[in-house]
Amino acid sequence: MNKKMSSVSLSVVEKMKKRTEELKQQQNQYNSKIDYSQFNLNEKDTEQMKIYEKNAIFHGKEIIKNNMELSKIFYEAQKTLSKYGKGSFGKWFESLGFKRTFVYMCLKRNSLFLEYKNEKIFNIPEKTLNEISKIKEKISNNEIIEILNSEKPLDTVKSLSGNRINESTELEKLQKEIKLLEKKLKELKLLEKKLINNS
């Protein structure tokens, strides 16, 4: 009976070891996203570039995770320190060695994340984030989501903001024309009044 139990336990342990080894191998496998034949590399350098690629993607994802966490931390710290007078938050993060521009970019990201619940906010470049902030009030929520989900968010922002600039220019032209017509209408009414009074 003990031998039977022992052999069953051993086979279960062996299966677990085998499965663990399979999972490790799967984890170590990486499917490249780049066609390295376009670079005319030799086989050794191609394999090395795949390792660099895998590591760059891994660390890039880690940066995004860290940006998310830092953004939350700065948001909560700012909320807490706001009760203790102006400048407390700035002194706090500067004491930790963080630069003002970085911290406020994190706060901007967190604010947009809280509003749109889209983690891609932490992945877009700062320039794109600044452009979104500039036109945010002029575009719809769906357009913001379109920007965040696009493959080239900066191009999408520029396209949308370009449309808004054209629309606002057209609106300004129409407003000027309306004012001009209103002025002419006033002049005509005055002229009509004069003509009626003179008759």
Side-chain angles (χ1 to χ4, degrees), residues 97-172:
F98 290 102
K99 300 280 185 218
R100 178 172 290 280
T101 52
F102 174 74
V103 171
Y104 282 96
M105 186 57 65
C106 286
L107 290 171
K108 195 179 287 188
R109 286 183 193 279
N110 193 67
S111 174
L112 283 172
F113 173 73
L114 291 174
E115 194 170 343
Y116 296 101
K117 308 290 187 236
N118 189 323
E119 289 185 4
K120 290 182 180 180
I121 288 165
F122 297 100
N123 196 22
I124 59 176
E126 288 181 19
K127 186 173 182 177
T128 305
L129 195 66
N130 286 328
E131 292 297 320
I132 290 172
S133 296
K134 286 178 191 174
I135 66 166
K136 184 175 166 265
E137 301 304 320
K138 298 175 185 173
I139 62 176
S140 71
N141 286 348
N142 287 339
E143 288 172 314
I144 298 270
I145 291 165
E146 178 186 337
I147 293 167
L148 296 174
N149 290 328
S150 71
E151 285 190 27
K152 294 184 177 181
L154 185 57
D155 291 347
T156 307
V157 168
K158 285 180 179 179
S159 168
L160 290 171
S161 64
N163 292 345
R164 293 302 177 265
I165 289 167
N166 291 340
E167 287 172 11
S168 71
T169 305
E170 287 297 316
L171 183 62
E172 287 171 12

Side-chain angles (χ1 to χ4, degrees), residues 81-95:
L81 290 172
S82 68
K83 298 179 258 182
Y84 297 96
K86 192 173 182 177
S88 300
F89 177 61
K91 287 178 189 172
W92 177 77
F93 68 72
E94 286 172 354
S95 298

Side-chain angles (χ1 to χ4, degrees), residues 25-36 46-47 49-55 57-58 61:
Q25 286 177 353
Q26 284 177 358
Q27 194 174 26
N28 288 333
Q29 289 178 347
Y30 175 73
N31 293 323
S32 176
K33 296 175 178 9
I34 298 172
D35 175 14
Y36 286 100
T46 298
E47 290 309 310
M49 290 307 299
K50 287 179 182 179
I51 292 168
Y52 294 151
E53 176 188 348
K54 177 183 173 185
N55 289 336
I57 289 171
F58 170 79
K61 288 178 182 176

Side-chain angles (χ1 to χ4, degrees), residues 18-30:
K18 185 178 178 183
R19 182 66 183 141
T20 301
E21 191 59 38
E22 287 172 359
L23 289 173
K24 281 183 184 178
Q25 286 177 353
Q26 284 177 358
Q27 194 174 26
N28 288 333
Q29 289 178 347
Y30 175 73

